[in-house]
Amino acid sequence: MRIDVLTLFPNMILPVIKESIIGRAMYEKKITINVIDFRDYSTNKHQKVDDYPYGGGAGMVLQVEPIVKALRSIEGYQDALKLIMTPQGEPYLQTTAEKFARCDHMIILCGHYEGFDERVRAYFDLEVSIGDFVLTGGEYAALVVMDSVVRLIPGVLNKEASFQEDSFSEGLLEYPQYTRPRVFEGKEVPEVLLSGHHEAIRAWRDSQRLERTKKRREDLYKKYRKR
Ligand code: SAM
């Protein structure tokens, strides 16, 4: 998979993607990530890419021209899935990440300031929101999307690490996990996990997933029950 990120703040993205699992996936050439500073496509001699909003109001608005020019500089942009990070977008879910993980090429636009000129929307396929809150910039959201998508690409996670039972992947939250020590300050690991009885462990985990989801996320639980 190839991901191109359009941003005014490449340094909010570059150091992060070099680390951990995304970094390893890049190193092993399972993914390619290019970060494009759309200020390089400014037509203004001071390299400005924002301006005052027509009609007045607070803050600055990103201009359409540098963004579209930067987009068109990307090889194969016509066939890529083109996303805008915005709090006004479609809520981002695990199922969205699963859908995105199947594409070959994604382009992600990060907004800043008051957002972008409305006409930018015509050049992108989908608007994505990572939650009902407002961030200072789309870079945080783009990192969330990239991380959650890249870990689903076959071969990116270690063989032993399974995402099939992760929270949300089957519409439920994950069961409780424990590791050594067996007892910590009087808090014990459930006996069944020490039993070596695979079927009993499976049954315990399944019931914990249901119970936990019902208690913490009734919305998910109801949806799961209706399936
Ligand atoms: N004025 C805009 C509005 O009310 O819709 C918010 C602009 S916000 C301060 C600046 C940028 O951060 C946005 O253009 C977007 O790229 C990003 N952003 C903020 N909140 C976001 C969210 N919940 N999901 C995705 N991107 C977000």
Side-chain angles (χ1 to χ4, degrees):
M1 174 187 281
R2 178 169 147 206
I3 305 175
D4 290 283
V5 187
L6 297 169
T7 171
L8 277 186
F9 298 93
N11 286 333
M12 288 176 72
I13 307 268
L14 288 166
V16 182
I17 59 173
K18 281 190 194 137
E19 298 292 330
S20 185
I21 291 171
I22 298 195
R24 197 180 63 209
M26 283 171 68
Y27 180 74
E28 290 173 356
K29 305 216 177 332
K30 293 196 174 101
I31 53 159
T32 305
I33 302 181
N34 299 310
V35 181
I36 299 155
D37 184 347
F38 57 83
R39 196 181 294 284
D40 295 342
Y41 295 84
S42 165
T43 46
N44 180 289
K45 70 174 176 194
H46 302 295
Q47 285 209 298
K48 260 184 69 138
V49 289
D50 57 346
D51 213 329
Y52 295 100
Y54 276 122
M60 301 298 273
V61 175
L62 293 170
Q63 295 171 297
V64 59
E65 200 176 358
I67 293 175
V68 172
K69 276 188 158 181
L71 176 67
R72 288 185 174 145
S73 76
I74 300 170
E75 203 189 320
Y77 79 93
Q78 298 94 328
D79 299 326
L81 174 66
K82 297 176 271 296
L83 308 176
I84 300 182
M85 296 297 112
T86 161
Q88 302 178 24
E90 193 177 283
Y92 187 67
L93 304 172
Q94 184 66 18
T95 45
T96 330
E98 286 163 9
K99 204 165 62 188
F100 291 173
R102 291 193 286 271
C103 25
D104 295 328
H105 187 187
M106 285 200 318
I107 299 174
I108 306 179
L109 170 65
C110 307
H112 231 91
Y113 314 124
E114 277 311 306
F116 29 72
D117 186 308
E118 186 66 17
R119 290 166 290 186
V120 164
R121 295 192 146 91
Y123 298 86
F124 286 78
D125 302 313
L126 191 65
E127 299 179 29
V128 176
S129 165
I130 63 159
D132 289 351
F133 44 81
V134 177
L135 301 161
T136 53
E139 290 74 15
Y140 303 105
L143 286 167
V144 166
V145 169
M146 286 194 282
D147 186 78
S148 53
V149 167
V150 169
R151 69 190 292 280
L152 297 178
I153 296 173
V156 166
L157 291 186
N158 292 333
K159 271 205 193 86
E160 314 85 65
S162 152
F163 47 77
Q164 261 88 36
E165 289 180 342
D166 274 342
S167 296
F168 311 116
S169 52
E170 286 172 356
L172 294 173
L173 301 181
E174 197 188 46
Y175 47 79
Q177 300 266 25
Y178 296 85
T179 186
R180 272 189 273 229
R182 195 169 159 168
V183 183
F184 179 73
E185 296 188 347
K187 296 171 185 68
E188 290 188 24
V189 173
E191 209 48 51
V192 63
L193 298 179
L194 312 169
S195 67
H197 192 307
H198 297 301
E199 260 173 53
I201 294 172
R202 174 83 274 141
W204 181 83
R205 287 180 167 164
D206 286 347
S207 72
Q208 290 289 317
R209 290 178 86 192
L210 284 168
E211 206 175 293
R212 181 161 274 206
T213 310
K214 189 176 177 189
K215 202 162 155 197
R216 297 182 183 199
R217 291 291 303 271
E218 219 186 334
D219 57 324
L220 293 181
Y221 182 75
K222 281 186 180 156
K223 231 191 244 171
Y224 180 80
R225 278 296 181 206
K226 272 194 197 146
R227 296 201 311 193

